[in-house]
Amino acid sequence: MALKTLSAKAAASLDRDLMSTGAFSIDQLMELAGLSVSQAVYRVHPVTQGSRVLVAVGPGNNGGDGLVAARHLRHYGYLPTVYYPKRSKNDLYQRLVKQLEDLDVPFVDDFPAALESTDHVVDAIFGFSFSGEVREPFPAVIQAMAKTKVPVTSVDAPSSWNIEEGPPKSGTGSSFHPDVLVSLTAPKPLVKFFSGRHFIGGRFVTPAIAKKYGFDLPEYEGIDQVVEIGPEGHKL
């Protein structure tokens, strides 16, 4: 069975459906997405393997998922550090930042230096809506993630990758292959270029929405918000 994927256009449409007919707020969806990401990190990198997690946060919704994940990781006993250079003026993001500040989660300005003293990285820079050029200050950040030996978990898409065509042919991100990918709601076509551990998160999609967009809901177990799948889409 081939893994059923969701194009960038369909993913955006699905989000709109969830927030209109589905009656979800953006806060709820971001909270559930970030919770999924935090559970995937817990699964691949238990706190006993090293508690320091560096979260690279972009300017949009993908970054918001990262901020939520950092909060949950702090509550699990990790010591997250957040790199968030392009801060949103939006009230939702400012509240997510305040929640982290209240937990004494440090924000850092020097990503390469922070990378030297961490055990795991969460890449929450760009998601399914990314296209075009990687803007400053993110090229150096993506290059550093590409070179590091520290394991990297990407949220929804490895940052800089084209949603349909995978890693760029040259330049920033062309050699970036994260260890773990957490696909939110459903995998995107770029998964065919990804060879690491793959999780699906987003245990809030209704069967009707899954049917409308032509993908299968994974079989989540117990209270899990993520499920690990193999290259053909079978549950691991």
Side-chain angles (χ1 to χ4, degrees), residues 52 115-116 118-121 145 147-152 179:
R52 302 169 304 174
L115 192 55
E116 295 294 313
T118 195
D119 304 303
H120 198 90
V121 178
M145 290 194 296
K147 288 190 181 125
T148 186
K149 299 278 189 288
V150 176
V152 178
D179 304 81

Side-chain angles (χ1 to χ4, degrees), residues 2 9 13 15 18 33 52 85 88 90-92 104 122 125 135 137 147 149 169 181 191 203-204 208 232:
K9 192 174 171 185
S13 175
D15 272 3
L18 286 169
R52 302 169 304 174
S88 172
N90 182 305
D91 173 64
L92 168 55
D104 297 321
V122 174
I125 301 176
R135 297 200 180 97
K147 288 190 181 125
K149 299 278 189 288
K169 300 290 179 275
L181 177 65
V191 294
R203 198 174 180 178
F204 48 77
E232 272 76 55

Side-chain angles (χ1 to χ4, degrees), residues 160-184:
S160 77
W161 282 31
N162 179 285
I163 295 310
E164 312 289 335
E165 291 153 23
K169 300 290 179 275
S170 61
T172 300
S174 56
S175 61
F176 177 39
H177 294 278
D179 304 81
V180 183
L181 177 65
V182 185
S183 292
L184 298 169

Side-chain angles (χ1 to χ4, degrees), residues 5 11 31 48 55 62 82 93 97 101 105 119-120 124 127 129 145 154 158 166-167 178 196 207 215 221 226-227:
T5 61
E31 187 65 32
T48 50
V55 185
N62 200 253
V82 176
Y93 295 88
V97 166
E101 289 171 348
V105 171
D119 304 303
H120 198 90
S129 56
M145 290 194 296
S154 287
F215 64 90
E221 277 190 17
V226 288
V227 61

